Amino acid sequence: KSTIDNITKNMDGLSFEKCVIRLTQLVSFYEKETFKKKVIEDLEEHPLAHIFANAVINADGQTIFTLPGLNISNPEENLELLDLHIHRKILEYQKITGNMYLRYALTYISEHFDIEKESLDFLIDNNFIIPSGREYIIRSAIVMALNGQYYEALHILAPQAENIFRNIAKEVGGLTVTLDTDGTSKEKVLSSIFDLPELIDCYDNDILFLFKGLLNEQAGANIRNEIAHGILSPYSAYSGEKLYFICVFIKLLVVSSLQCQKILHDMPEWVYESKNSDQPKAD
């Protein structure tokens, strides 16, 4: 109740535009290095728990991935394996944030506003990160999400998030296709896109790592692959990590919009009921 009261207090009286931006203030672009330290600290405090492999189980009880344990004496011996453990640790926080804070904030917006496509002009128009021609479909998906249609929204937002990063990579000279010996070409897999040196050099690496885990890692949320294989269930669309993805996608658009930055400049400060209370902190 205290969490709900705190979010309500900080949204009451705000315009729709400011409530959307307030929603994204509940979402962090997690820093990889911070979670690397958390993984290593967990390893040092509970070494026995990290000796054996951990099974990643889906909603149907099937084991879809086995995460090997880390080397206790040298956890950075295998950096690719360490990255998987970091994705897994970040996923824990995404679930908590989605279930505890974002679920209510999204509900607040859907209950207090009549949301139409035109309502998102402030977010979509002249947003430099949105590829040309994709404005309408992204706008439609966010309207769905803010109206509580998470299942439908995810099926659009996940591939459009992938396309955004592909487009950024192309813009900076990254090669996003492979050329076969017979002269045919095809798009590179998403994991290869996130690892392109040109993209890594030009864009925030923490954001790239975050979306790689959300979209494409079995140790992470793996949303894009669930959708690509048609196995995302309507029930799963309401899970914490899926709500986190929706909100962090919107945050990605907020930080890329000049109009949003102007609105953010006039936003009231987040008010805390108590400095000692366990409340969400505006980012």
Side-chain angles (χ1 to χ4, degrees):
K1 184 179 183 300
S2 61
T3 297
I4 291 174
D5 289 345
N6 187 261
I7 294 173
T8 300
K9 179 177 180 178
N10 283 280
M11 284 190 162
D12 275 349
L14 297 184
S15 65
F16 168 73
E17 293 85 353
K18 289 183 178 180
C19 275
V20 171
I21 292 175
R22 186 68 94 198
L23 167 71
T24 65
Q25 290 179 321
L26 292 167
V27 183
S28 296
F29 290 131
Y30 295 129
E31 296 179 354
K32 178 182 176 181
E33 189 63 27
T34 298
F35 280 84
K36 174 183 172 181
K37 291 177 181 178
K38 290 180 183 293
V39 169
I40 293 175
E41 287 171 1
D42 284 351
L43 180 64
E44 292 172 349
E45 293 177 8
H46 309 285
L48 292 179
H50 293 270
I51 292 177
F52 305 104
N54 291 312
V56 177
I57 301 173
N58 65 14
D60 296 323
Q62 300 169 324
T63 299
I64 59 172
F65 177 67
T66 300
L67 181 62
L70 290 167
N71 184 336
I72 297 174
S73 60
N74 183 14
E76 297 188 57
E77 176 185 55
N78 185 335
L79 292 179
E80 290 185 3
L81 177 58
L82 179 58
D83 280 354
L84 294 179
H85 280 266
I86 296 171
H87 283 305
R88 198 68 188 165
K89 177 60 70 174
I90 290 176
L91 179 62
E92 295 175 13
Y93 282 73
Q94 291 167 348
K95 289 180 177 180
I96 293 170
T97 300
N99 286 322
M100 289 188 66
Y101 309 135
L102 302 179
R103 186 184 307 280
Y104 175 72
L106 284 163
T107 301
Y108 180 97
I109 292 173
S110 66
E111 290 179 348
H112 284 77
F113 299 99
D114 294 323
I115 307 167
E116 304 292 341
K117 290 185 175 66
E118 296 75 16
S119 306
L120 292 176
D121 288 349
F122 76 101
L123 183 65
I124 303 298
D125 289 355
N126 300 314
N127 192 310
F128 65 82
I129 203 173
I130 300 177
S132 178
R134 302 302 176 103
E135 296 88 354
Y136 181 83
I137 194 167
I138 291 176
R139 183 193 298 265
S140 299
I142 294 177
V143 169
M144 292 177 189
L146 295 178
N147 279 315
Q149 298 171 276
Y150 308 133
Y151 185 62
E152 296 87 343
L154 284 166
H155 280 78
I156 298 175
L157 292 180
Q160 293 310 312
E162 175 179 348
N163 184 63
I164 282 175
F165 290 107
R166 285 185 183 275
N167 188 64
I168 295 172
K170 289 179 183 178
E171 291 290 329
V172 296
L175 187 62
T176 62
V177 298
T178 59
L179 184 64
D180 291 338
T181 54
D182 61 359
T184 61
S185 62
K186 59 183 179 182
E187 291 288 336
K188 288 184 177 180
V189 297
L190 183 56
S191 58
S192 297
I193 299 297
F194 281 117
D195 292 335
L196 283 173
E198 295 87 353
L199 183 59
I200 293 171
D201 286 343
C202 84
Y203 205 76
D204 187 291
N205 284 200
D206 288 324
I207 293 178
L208 295 178
F209 187 81
L210 176 68
F211 274 88
K212 184 177 183 180
L214 282 166
L215 293 171
N216 203 61
E217 291 291 345
Q218 288 183 312
N222 202 30
I223 296 170
R224 178 261 190 194
N225 286 330
E226 286 190 16
I227 289 172
H229 295 293
I231 58 177
L232 178 71
S233 68
Y235 174 79
S236 175
Y238 286 79
S239 62
E241 69 273 20
K242 306 303 191 304
L243 300 184
Y244 173 89
F245 167 72
I246 288 171
C247 295
V248 82
F249 184 97
I250 298 173
K251 187 181 184 78
L252 190 69
L253 299 186
V254 166
V255 300
S256 305
S257 164
L258 182 59
Q259 191 170 347
C260 284
Q261 296 309 305
K262 292 178 180 178
I263 296 171
L264 186 59
H265 182 73
D266 296 328
M267 290 278 291
E269 292 292 328
W270 188 281
V271 179
Y272 297 94
E273 289 290 343
S274 169
K275 291 182 179 180
N276 297 320
S277 62
D278 182 19
Q279 296 298 323
K281 293 178 171 57
D283 181 12

